[in-house]
Amino acid sequence: MHGAGAWPFWGNRAAYVSHLDNWTPENTDARYPRLVAGQTTNNQQVSTWWVENTSYLRLKSATLSYNVPSFICNKIGMQNARIFLAGQNLYTWTSVINFDPEMNNSQSWDYPQQTVYSVGVNLTF
């Protein structure tokens, strides 16, 4: 990832916590190269260093449901009863740090995916 969303200190913003693992003479095996706070272009050089594998696997939706047996429904005057739990954007497996891999720009200015849970009951009388 590259661009304003990934670059530390861009536009006078703070760096991500992950940027703390940057090169120093004492930390030569760091994840990030040497970083400089303040007005500099050193942190924003376009290079292949910013290229990373953005593959991911996302569980977009899942539903668990239970149909109440008809003999129970009949006893309480119903034809059918269904109880369910549904979820959207439940989990993403990725090595991408600080970004949603489905984001369509490098600025990180998109809204993140929201996880939504729903619980419900369908009754037929």
Side-chain angles (χ1 to χ4, degrees), residues 99-113:
F99 290 94
D100 182 337
E102 285 186 356
M103 192 175 299
N104 64 3
N105 71 56
S106 64
Q107 307 302 321
S108 76
W109 294 333
D110 287 345
Y111 287 104
Q113 296 279 341

Side-chain angles (χ1 to χ4, degrees), residues 9-48:
F9 309 113
W10 184 84
N12 295 321
R13 292 188 310 189
Y16 288 111
V17 171
S18 61
H19 291 138
L20 297 177
D21 185 21
N22 65 80
W23 186 92
T24 64
E26 298 79 30
N27 188 20
T28 58
D29 64 341
R31 174 171 162 73
Y32 287 91
R34 181 180 67 99
L35 301 178
V36 178
Q39 297 298 319
T40 180
T41 59
N42 291 345
N43 297 340
Q44 294 94 24
Q45 295 299 316
V46 175
S47 74
T48 57

Side-chain angles (χ1 to χ4, degrees), residues 11-122:
N12 295 321
R13 292 188 310 189
Y16 288 111
V17 171
S18 61
H19 291 138
L20 297 177
D21 185 21
N22 65 80
W23 186 92
T24 64
E26 298 79 30
N27 188 20
T28 58
D29 64 341
R31 174 171 162 73
Y32 287 91
R34 181 180 67 99
L35 301 178
V36 178
Q39 297 298 319
T40 180
T41 59
N42 291 345
N43 297 340
Q44 294 94 24
Q45 295 299 316
V46 175
S47 74
T48 57
W49 185 88
W50 294 103
V51 176
E52 64 181 285
N53 181 353
T54 58
S55 61
Y56 67 97
L57 175 66
R58 176 167 279 159
L59 179 58
K60 284 292 251 186
S61 64
T63 302
L64 296 173
S65 66
Y66 176 73
N67 289 323
V68 178
S70 59
F71 73 90
I72 295 174
C73 291
N74 292 338
K75 286 183 182 181
I76 55 177
M78 290 187 292
Q79 291 179 353
N80 284 317
R82 178 178 168 258
I83 303 166
F84 67 90
L85 170 65
Q88 295 177 332
N89 298 318
L90 296 171
Y91 194 78
T92 303
W93 292 269
T94 184
S95 62
V96 176
I97 298 174
N98 300 323
F99 290 94
D100 182 337
E102 285 186 356
M103 192 175 299
N104 64 3
N105 71 56
S106 64
Q107 307 302 321
S108 76
W109 294 333
D110 287 345
Y111 287 104
Q113 296 279 341
Q114 295 182 14
T115 301
V116 178
Y117 297 100
S118 302
V119 177
V121 177
N122 294 336

